[in-house]
Amino acid sequence: MIDNSMQQLTFIRPEILEWREIGSPKIENDGQAIVKPLAVTRCDLDLYIANGTIPMKDQPFAFGHEIAGEVIMVGDQVTDVAPGDRVIVPFQINCGTCKNCRSGLTNGCTSVPAFSAYGLAQSSGVEWGGGLSDYILVPFANAMLVKIPSQLSLPVAAAISDNASDGYRTVAEPLLRCPGEDVLIVGGLAQSVGLFAVQAAVALGAGRVVYSDFDHARLALAKSLGAEILERRYALGMPLDGQFPIVVDASNIPDGLIYALRSTAACGHCTGISAPGRTIDNIPLASMYMKGITYEISRVHARAEIEKVLQCACAGHIQHQDVITTRVPFRQAQEVMTDPDIKLVFEAS
């Protein structure tokens, strides 16, 4: 049994988050489950929503979406998990049965409104709840929830629900097609995703793994993870540092994206993990066309990536905890959400 009311961290406006008492979720059909979040990592996006860099409407919503926790209750048709199981909760809501979900395109589930996710109600127009709450409702428990292997910590599991899987997918498929190729990761505002991409590229056997950034702390961490580092402040027309078959743009800065695209070798692949602006001038389309490069931009299909990331983590090939820089109790999330640390984890007491 759970209490009728609970605490939820709610975004009010930039720099203002509040703990609010709301009704606890209830199981309403046999395929649902209730999970108690025990570790919630701060997504890179959360920092910029909280500090106002990414503008949001004056419409409060539940906060936090990188979640690991414990199953508390399940509906009668939930067979894959049981109360007491430690689970990863993918941040996107996905049914597991629509055409997109069956194809592994779980970012595009057609059974729910587009962009449905925890902690991001303004994207879909539907409030699914947030990880920084006493409880969350999981609407498609068999499809969504993933048991956490015993050797993995809750903070690592939480990061795998979004950013760690996002970093992994930027290099995994390109390296599968082109084993041993060099990788350039253009670091920046997507702080942890770029560093998780470094880890994945090293683990998956890339040749050179080069990481560029303008932030000394991220550069130092990237070097410790096995990357060559380049201190760069991105600017239009800046000199290039070579041509790379595989490039990741984690800068979330227009000039960083242009640098990434210009640095992609002929017939190479560049993945953008965020949209650094609604429109961007000076994208080098003619050069991209002549070189024949592929540019991919999308949210991660989180649920479809999780098992592959778990395999790497459980085998010891990737130590995701090395990117987590700060541990904070849940109840301090309100005060520290806008701290500039690379990767925070909020832990339940």
Side-chain angles (χ1 to χ4, degrees), residues 4-5 13 25-26 35 45-46 48 133 148 166 191 198 212 223-224 226 243 254 275 306 315-316 346:
N4 289 328
S5 63
R13 59 183 181 276
K26 293 179 171 54
V35 171
L45 177 63
D46 290 338
Y48 304 114
S133 303
I148 301 172
D166 202 359
Q191 302 193 100
V198 168
S212 66
K223 184 175 182 179
S224 75
Q243 295 286 289
I306 285 174
F346 307 106

Side-chain angles (χ1 to χ4, degrees), residues 19-137:
W19 288 101
R20 290 188 170 183
E21 185 171 339
I22 66 167
S24 297
K26 293 179 171 54
I27 289 179
E28 298 174 345
N29 69 57
D30 291 341
Q32 298 178 343
I34 293 175
V35 171
K36 180 177 181 60
L38 298 176
V40 175
T41 37
R42 186 184 67 185
C43 174
D44 297 339
L45 177 63
D46 290 338
L47 170 61
Y48 304 114
I49 293 174
N51 68 18
T53 300
I54 295 177
M56 306 299 283
K57 301 173 186 175
D58 291 334
Q59 179 182 332
F61 60 93
F63 214 67
H65 64 265
E66 293 194 351
I67 308 164
E70 178 184 347
V71 177
I72 301 299
M73 299 176 65
V74 298
D76 291 342
Q77 293 182 7
V78 176
T79 56
D80 292 355
V81 296
D85 286 343
R86 300 189 320 158
V87 291
I88 296 172
V89 185
F91 80 102
Q92 295 151 335
I93 310 299
N94 59 275
C95 70
T97 58
C98 73
K99 180 180 178 181
N100 280 351
C101 285
R102 286 185 282 107
S103 299
L105 306 175
T106 52
N107 172 46
C109 177
T110 58
S111 295
V112 294
F115 321 126
S116 288
Y118 294 108
L120 296 165
Q122 290 194 21
S123 295
S124 66
V126 178
E127 179 57 90
W128 295 97
L132 289 162
S133 303
D134 291 335
Y135 305 101
I136 57 168
L137 180 70

Side-chain angles (χ1 to χ4, degrees), residues 14-320:
E15 306 285 347
I16 304 296
L17 294 96
E18 294 180 356
W19 288 101
R20 290 188 170 183
E21 185 171 339
I22 66 167
S24 297
K26 293 179 171 54
I27 289 179
E28 298 174 345
N29 69 57
D30 291 341
Q32 298 178 343
I34 293 175
V35 171
K36 180 177 181 60
L38 298 176
V40 175
T41 37
R42 186 184 67 185
C43 174
D44 297 339
L45 177 63
D46 290 338
L47 170 61
Y48 304 114
I49 293 174
N51 68 18
T53 300
I54 295 177
M56 306 299 283
K57 301 173 186 175
D58 291 334
Q59 179 182 332
F61 60 93
F63 214 67
H65 64 265
E66 293 194 351
I67 308 164
E70 178 184 347
V71 177
I72 301 299
M73 299 176 65
V74 298
D76 291 342
Q77 293 182 7
V78 176
T79 56
D80 292 355
V81 296
D85 286 343
R86 300 189 320 158
V87 291
I88 296 172
V89 185
F91 80 102
Q92 295 151 335
I93 310 299
N94 59 275
C95 70
T97 58
C98 73
K99 180 180 178 181
N100 280 351
C101 285
R102 286 185 282 107
S103 299
L105 306 175
T106 52
N107 172 46
C109 177
T110 58
S111 295
V112 294
F115 321 126
S116 288
Y118 294 108
L120 296 165
Q122 290 194 21
S123 295
S124 66
V126 178
E127 179 57 90
W128 295 97
L132 289 162
S133 303
D134 291 335
Y135 305 101
I136 57 168
L137 180 70
V138 181
F140 305 103
N142 285 331
M144 291 178 60
L145 295 178
V146 182
K147 291 182 182 178
I148 301 172
S150 59
Q151 62 265 52
L152 289 192
S153 69
L154 285 163
V156 166
I160 290 173
S161 71
D162 181 3
N163 283 175
S165 292
D166 202 359
Y168 178 91
R169 62 100 184 184
T170 63
V171 297
E173 187 64 29
L175 283 170
L176 184 63
R177 292 194 302 268
C178 303
E181 290 284 18
D182 294 345
V183 175
L184 169 66
I185 296 158
V186 181
L189 302 186
Q191 302 193 100
S192 71
V193 177
L195 293 165
F196 286 131
V198 168
Q199 289 187 310
V202 171
L204 296 173
R208 295 173 64 213
V209 179
V210 180
Y211 178 86
S212 66
D213 205 330
F214 47 85
D215 180 85
H216 290 167
R218 293 193 296 265
L219 285 163
L221 184 48
K223 184 175 182 179
S224 75
L225 298 174
E228 301 176 32
I229 59 172
L230 300 170
E231 184 174 353
R232 295 289 182 268
R233 291 202 171 273
Y234 309 122
L236 189 63
M238 63 184 288
L240 300 182
D241 296 289
Q243 295 286 289
F244 294 80
I246 300 169
V247 178
V248 178
D249 174 40
S251 69
N252 203 20
I253 297 169
D255 288 346
L257 170 59
I258 293 169
Y259 169 70
L261 292 170
R262 291 175 59 225
S263 299
T264 305
C267 304
H269 190 282
C270 179
T271 301
I273 60 88
S274 60
R278 293 183 181 273
T279 60
I280 300 176
D281 296 328
N282 301 307
I283 289 179
L285 291 175
S287 172
M288 293 166 64
Y289 170 77
M290 294 299 289
K291 290 193 295 183
I293 75 169
T294 298
Y295 175 53
E296 175 185 359
I297 182 168
S298 171
R299 293 200 308 176
V300 61
H301 300 291
R303 180 60 184 85
E305 295 291 336
I306 285 174
E307 271 92 355
K308 291 175 279 188
V309 182
L310 284 176
Q311 288 176 8
C312 277
C314 291
H317 300 317
I318 300 179
Q319 304 292 332
H320 293 105

